[in-house]
Amino acid sequence: SNILMRTYINTEALVLARRQLTNSKKQVILFTPKNGKITTVAYGATNLTSHKIGHLEPGNLLFVSISENNGYFSLSQSRLLYAYSAIRADSQSLSQLLQICHLLLYLLPDGVEELDIYTSTIHALKQLNNRSQSVSPFLYQTLARLGYADSQNDYDISSRMENILSRPYPKF
């Protein structure tokens, strides 16, 4: 007999993207320290009374409980840890935040621990929130860590991303 085992992952997570699936379901893609990039489904997250609805913005740092059942991940609980409000108050910073999320969304492998990249991402977001540094060094470093570039930072990130993804890179 095949017994389905449900396991739970309780972890910090950065929201990379979300999209509406049905009236009551959202797909939420998270970046976690130990489990890497995970695609989850949040049920009931679109109901206006749901406390989850505001948390699931790309770039928000959450503490989440994810249940895994047969390789499918459900986002069962989420608590907002940090919304990077200073980033969201500034359009240039917000576009840099979205660029980080986009790069990670498309280049991170699914379910592979990338602790160094996770740690440096959170650090880059803190710096961006404190207006202390451009995110370009982080983007160059991440492309190199993932094997898409060497250590020479003399290329245009948008055109490199277009080459990697074989499609236009959005202007943020």
Side-chain angles (χ1 to χ4, degrees), residues 10-158:
N10 295 306
T11 182
E12 189 179 280
L14 181 69
V15 179
L16 297 182
R18 63 164 195 191
R19 74 186 171 103
Q20 203 69 39
L21 295 176
T22 65
N23 276 346
S24 61
K25 278 197 314 197
K26 259 192 177 78
Q27 180 184 67
V28 184
I29 302 173
L30 301 171
F31 183 26
T32 68
K34 292 264 182 260
N35 301 85
K37 184 175 75 174
I38 303 179
T39 299
T40 68
V41 174
Y43 295 90
T46 54
N47 178 339
L48 283 176
T49 59
S50 168
H51 70 282
K52 279 187 209 167
I53 197 160
H55 293 183
L56 304 178
E57 290 293 320
N60 277 357
L61 188 63
L62 310 177
F63 188 83
V64 295
S65 183
I66 299 166
S67 73
E68 180 188 359
N69 199 346
N70 256 11
Y72 292 97
F73 298 95
S74 300
L75 182 60
S76 30
Q77 293 185 327
S78 66
R79 181 165 52 85
L80 183 65
L81 294 178
Y82 210 70
Y84 300 105
S85 51
I87 293 176
R88 296 182 191 284
D90 176 66
S91 61
Q92 193 177 354
S93 297
L94 180 60
S95 75
Q96 291 185 311
L97 170 76
L98 295 174
Q99 189 176 18
I100 288 172
C101 289
H102 189 84
L103 181 135
L104 295 170
L105 175 67
Y106 286 101
L107 298 187
L108 285 172
D110 284 325
V112 176
E113 181 183 330
E114 293 284 1
L115 186 57
D116 286 353
I117 293 174
Y118 182 85
T119 305
S120 65
T121 300
I122 300 307
H123 182 69
L125 292 178
K126 282 184 180 146
Q127 288 189 317
L128 186 60
N129 199 58
N130 298 335
R131 305 258 189 286
S132 57
Q133 196 184 337
S134 153
V135 299
S136 293
F138 165 79
L139 296 172
Y140 284 121
Q141 179 187 49
T142 303
L143 282 167
R145 276 184 172 156
L146 289 169
Y148 291 104
D150 56 25
S151 57
Q152 301 300 309
N153 297 348
D154 55 1
Y155 57 88
D156 179 67
I157 290 170
S158 295

